[in-house]
Amino acid sequence: MLDKIGIAKRIAKEVKDGYYVNLGIGIPTLVANYVRNDIAVEFQSENGVLGMGPFPFEGEQDADIINAGKQTITTLPGASFFDSAMSFSMIRGKHVDLTILGAMEVAQNGDIANWKIPGKMVKGMGGAMDLVASAENIIVAMMHTNKAGESKLLKKCTLPLTGVGCVKKIVTNLAVIEVTEKGFKLLERAPGVSVEFIKKATQGHLIINGNIPEMTLE
Amino acid sequence: MISKKVANVQEALKGVTNNMTLMLGGFGLSGIPENAIAQLVKLNVKNLTCISNNAGVDDFGLGLLLQQKQIKKMISSYVGENDEFERQMLSGELEVELIPQGTLAERCRAAQSGFPAIYTPAGYGTEVAKGKETREFDGKMYVLEHAFKADFAFVKAWKGDEAGNLIFKGTARNFNPNMCGAAKITVAEVEELVPLGALNPNQIHIPGIFVQRIFQGNVYEKRIEQLTVRQKN
């Protein structure tokens, strides 16, 4: 079974040379730490920066340079700043190659819910609806089950949707799953996790074809 | 040269009254029109509709207007980090319309550019699209979103000149350029109002034609919402 860092490490393997990548808040943010350093990748933050670097050294922070999580950041050589409309032109216009974000629920048809729990304080969708409606390549990073032990991979989402039929791949603490027309297709198992265990933790239709390999993180 | 320069923030906000719709630039607390907001607090204009990506924090940004109950309605994409906001929203005192961030930007830009509405894929199939016109293009569904109509746009830039030309800095740019010219009157505040000719025309982000009034802000606190640093080893 993976922890959050394990999930980030596994997703990092999906980041390919030449990719422009948008990372959501939470586990997705950690992915940047584990991308191979022999490939060229640029991280986009939807508030208006491409070519994000690490956090600044103490005392070198600049209130005018932040990421979408409102955290102070730095930029790398080759970086650029732009306005919000242009930022979402990059996203809706499919210029960003990969979007990695978290979710509360994913359905077997690729629907995603990650912005609102009825009855609780709603903070808003931010850029999530634009991202999921447009990106061709969306990977969801999340735990397979919620704190109550209930599956987050469902036949149908119960929470208000963020987008419909958009998720292509899910990496959880238990498995790597591809969203296909026929349902969740199990691609890889987390180290030490059995197919049976994943099946039990998945409420939606799980497709198991042949031997399912254990994932590698390096 | 057509001068857009006004003497101070008082003059810049002349004509702002109760019940108006205002656009305010900024993402989180970055690039917000601090001086215009302080003046709105002083004017104590009420019943405002504010179009702004966020709603500030309790004691800074639009949070200051919320404290005085000046805002009737917020149109935003993300409104966390503000207890007073949450209280007013849950009690029904404050109306809140949450819309996707890219849609917010594009509804500003549509107003700026003379488009009555735009089609976006964002929000299709969700409650955001409820009651809105949808249409299929090349097998994909889109939602019709209308240009905003606002009385004033308050934006903040790094440098500007008397002609109203603006240059922004870093991610403090965000929604500011998209709101210029998107309201009946655009008021730009700048950290530095430089002499005419000091800005390189090749490097202007927003030409002065989109700006009606410009002034240099007295002070900029530039509060950091989430200070994140790494240690030198």
Side-chain angles (χ1 to χ4, degrees), chain B residues 138-194:
Chain B
D138 298 326
K140 191 175 162 92
M141 293 304 294
Y142 295 81
V143 185
L144 187 73
E145 295 280 4
H146 290 263
F148 285 125
K149 289 189 173 72
D151 298 293
F152 276 85
F154 295 110
V155 304
K156 190 255 164 182
W158 179 32
K159 291 178 182 178
D161 64 17
E162 195 177 340
N165 297 309
L166 303 176
I167 292 179
F168 302 89
K169 181 175 159 243
T171 53
R173 188 181 317 191
N174 56 65
F175 290 86
N176 286 299
N178 308 129
M179 290 178 173
C180 289
K184 286 175 196 157
I185 296 174
T186 297
V187 177
E189 58 179 87
V190 294
E191 286 176 52
E192 234 184 296
L193 192 62
V194 301

Side-chain angles (χ1 to χ4, degrees), chain B:
Chain B
M1 190 272 305
I2 302 169
S3 176
K4 306 294 170 69
K5 190 178 163 187
V6 293
N8 49 41
V9 70
Q10 287 84 4
E11 209 179 306
L13 269 76
K14 236 178 174 174
V16 177
T17 60
N18 294 341
N19 309 311
M20 279 189 164
T21 297
L22 313 178
M23 286 178 169
L24 299 110
F27 181 93
L29 301 177
S30 189
I32 59 173
E34 292 184 26
N35 289 267
I37 291 171
Q39 182 63 14
L40 286 169
V41 170
K42 268 191 204 150
L43 291 171
N44 201 18
V45 282
K46 303 275 191 192
N47 248 350
L48 301 172
T49 296
C50 292
I51 300 163
S52 172
N53 189 56
N54 312 91
V57 294
D58 275 311
D59 61 344
F60 200 55
L62 286 181
L64 299 170
L65 299 190
L66 287 164
Q67 272 182 16
Q68 291 201 131
K69 301 193 169 64
Q70 292 176 256
I71 304 177
K72 175 186 70 174
K73 181 178 179 182
M74 280 297 312
I75 301 174
S76 306
S77 88
Y78 192 85
V79 292
E81 345 302 344
N82 192 325
D83 292 338
E84 179 59 16
F85 182 97
E86 187 170 340
R87 193 197 64 72
Q88 289 184 24
M89 179 171 159
L90 294 176
S91 71
E93 289 164 63
L94 179 68
E95 192 187 334
V96 180
E97 185 183 342
L98 293 170
I99 61 175
Q101 196 175 325
T103 300
L104 178 63
E106 215 55 36
R107 288 177 69 186
C108 292
R109 198 168 67 153
Q112 175 191 60
S113 315
F115 295 117
I118 52 109
Y119 279 105
T120 176
Y124 176 76
T126 76
E127 61 183 52
V128 164
K130 240 185 206 166
K132 289 175 186 165
E133 202 177 314
T134 57
R135 185 168 163 182
E136 186 184 327
F137 294 91
D138 298 326
K140 191 175 162 92
M141 293 304 294
Y142 295 81
V143 185
L144 187 73
E145 295 280 4
H146 290 263
F148 285 125
K149 289 189 173 72
D151 298 293
F152 276 85
F154 295 110
V155 304
K156 190 255 164 182
W158 179 32
K159 291 178 182 178
D161 64 17
E162 195 177 340
N165 297 309
L166 303 176
I167 292 179
F168 302 89
K169 181 175 159 243
T171 53
R173 188 181 317 191
N174 56 65
F175 290 86
N176 286 299
N178 308 129
M179 290 178 173
C180 289
K184 286 175 196 157
I185 296 174
T186 297
V187 177
E189 58 179 87
V190 294
E191 286 176 52
E192 234 184 296
L193 192 62
V194 301
L196 214 57
L199 299 179
N200 180 342
N202 288 303
Q203 291 171 351
I204 303 289
H205 292 140
I206 284 291
I209 191 169
F210 292 112
V211 174
Q212 278 69 49
R213 302 174 190 173
I214 190 167
F215 70 101
Q216 183 174 306
N218 275 338
V219 251
Y220 284 99
E221 181 183 332
K222 291 200 185 182
R223 199 182 289 188
I224 289 174
E225 210 165 327
Q226 306 279 346
L227 177 62
T228 42
V229 295
R230 68 193 146 125
Q231 305 299 326
K232 281 184 186 161
N233 31 346

